[in-house]
Amino acid sequence: MSPKEFFLNFNISFWSIFLGMVCTFIGQGMIDRKADREDVRSSLELVKTELAANLEDIKTMADYLVDERKSAQYFLDNRANLDKCPVDSIYFHSGLLFADASITLSHDALELLKMSAIFQKLGNNQLSMDIIRAYDSCEYSVSLYNKYISDRDDKFNDTINEKTVLQFASTGNIDMKKFMKNSYGLYTIRWIKNQVAPDTELFVNDIEKAIKAIDEYLLPVRHYKNKKNK
């Protein structure tokens, strides 16, 4: 083989191997980027679902506290003539006042984002901050609501205890007529009526903002997938 043929074959082999490696790297890069986009999309969908569920729970708790104050007002308005109130109404409003209430919100999807380094793959610092702020708001709203419930329960425990349970609940249910005639009972109902429920409007706005930001981030991805499917 002549030197010219040797170098020609060498160049052909070299460039074949080089271009093959380049194509492999490019192809693998495209596959990796597609996998990253899919990871980001599925993770954000989980976050959105979790935040939406948390938001619904916060609104449910807020509604409960509004109804609780209405029930307290009902007994205050009718404490002089509870004998004339419908039994069903007495049971309904007392059930609201003495209901076991608490709230817990999930943050599993956020932990998944942290552990899988999805935040780094987002390439959107503002979206990352919106998500983190939304979860912070969830946590803070839980602390406010549960603090209120704890304070309320302390008032009930001071009123209905081992010494007074037979007086107020000899049949197993709270006798609201006796309860309202007791100074401590009346104080507890007035305390509930006059309490200002935790203002979680700002927290709700943070969560709704994060959900909207996720939708806007995923919109091009959904548009691309729908277009591809057509």
Side-chain angles (χ1 to χ4, degrees):
M1 179 182 296
S2 66
K4 183 177 181 180
E5 291 174 334
F6 173 79
F7 284 111
L8 179 61
N9 290 336
F10 174 80
N11 286 334
I12 292 175
S13 298
F14 173 80
W15 286 109
S16 296
I17 296 172
F18 177 76
L19 291 175
M21 292 175 62
V22 170
C23 290
T24 298
F25 286 135
I26 293 175
Q28 188 61 48
M30 294 175 64
I31 293 173
D32 291 343
R33 286 193 294 274
K34 182 179 179 181
D36 286 345
R37 287 196 299 270
E38 185 62 25
D39 287 344
V40 168
R41 184 196 64 78
S42 60
S43 297
L44 288 181
E45 290 285 3
L46 286 175
V47 170
K48 177 187 172 183
T49 300
E50 188 170 73
L51 285 177
N54 288 349
L55 179 61
E56 187 64 27
D57 287 344
I58 289 174
K59 290 181 177 179
T60 298
M61 178 59 84
D63 290 341
Y64 166 73
L65 295 185
V66 170
D67 291 339
E68 183 188 53
R69 289 197 301 278
K70 289 180 180 178
S71 292
Q73 184 66 64
Y74 175 85
F75 285 114
L76 291 174
D77 291 342
N78 294 281
R79 68 189 182 96
N81 58 349
L82 284 177
D83 290 332
K84 299 179 182 179
C85 293
V87 175
D88 289 346
S89 296
I90 297 291
Y91 283 156
F92 173 77
H93 290 292
S94 61
L96 274 172
L97 289 174
F98 293 99
D100 290 330
S102 65
I103 180 173
T104 58
L105 301 178
S106 175
H107 58 272
D108 294 338
L110 176 64
E111 296 304 317
L112 177 63
L113 288 187
K114 294 177 179 178
M115 290 188 296
S116 57
I118 295 296
F119 279 129
Q120 288 85 340
K121 297 177 183 179
L122 281 179
N124 188 321
N125 291 334
Q126 184 59 53
L127 176 58
S128 298
M129 292 302 298
D130 287 342
I131 292 173
I132 293 173
R133 184 181 180 89
Y135 277 99
D136 286 343
S137 293
C138 288
E139 184 175 352
Y140 195 31
S141 65
V142 165
S143 67
L144 288 179
Y145 279 132
N146 286 337
K147 175 63 167 59
Y148 167 80
I149 294 297
S150 177
D151 291 343
R152 182 205 68 174
D153 289 347
D154 285 344
K155 297 292 186 298
F156 282 133
N157 291 334
D158 289 340
T159 307
I160 305 173
N161 49 49
E162 293 180 358
K163 295 180 179 180
T164 63
V165 66
L166 292 179
Q167 176 186 355
F168 295 133
S170 57
T171 62
N173 296 317
I174 303 298
D175 187 331
M176 292 305 298
K177 299 172 187 176
K178 294 180 179 179
F179 189 79
M180 292 296 294
K181 291 179 180 179
N182 179 274
S183 58
Y184 291 106
L186 181 59
Y187 164 75
T188 301
I189 300 301
R190 282 175 171 167
W191 183 88
I192 293 174
K193 168 59 180 67
N194 294 326
Q195 281 301 298
V196 177
D199 183 6
T200 56
E201 181 179 357
L202 179 60
F203 304 144
V204 167
N205 291 339
D206 287 340
I207 299 170
E208 290 178 339
K209 180 181 178 182
I211 292 174
K212 181 179 179 181
I214 291 173
D215 276 336
E216 291 175 349
Y217 182 90
L218 293 177
L219 185 60
V221 177
R222 293 196 185 102
H223 178 72
Y224 170 78
K225 292 187 70 173
N226 292 336
K227 185 176 180 181
K228 185 178 180 181
N229 292 335
K230 290 181 181 179

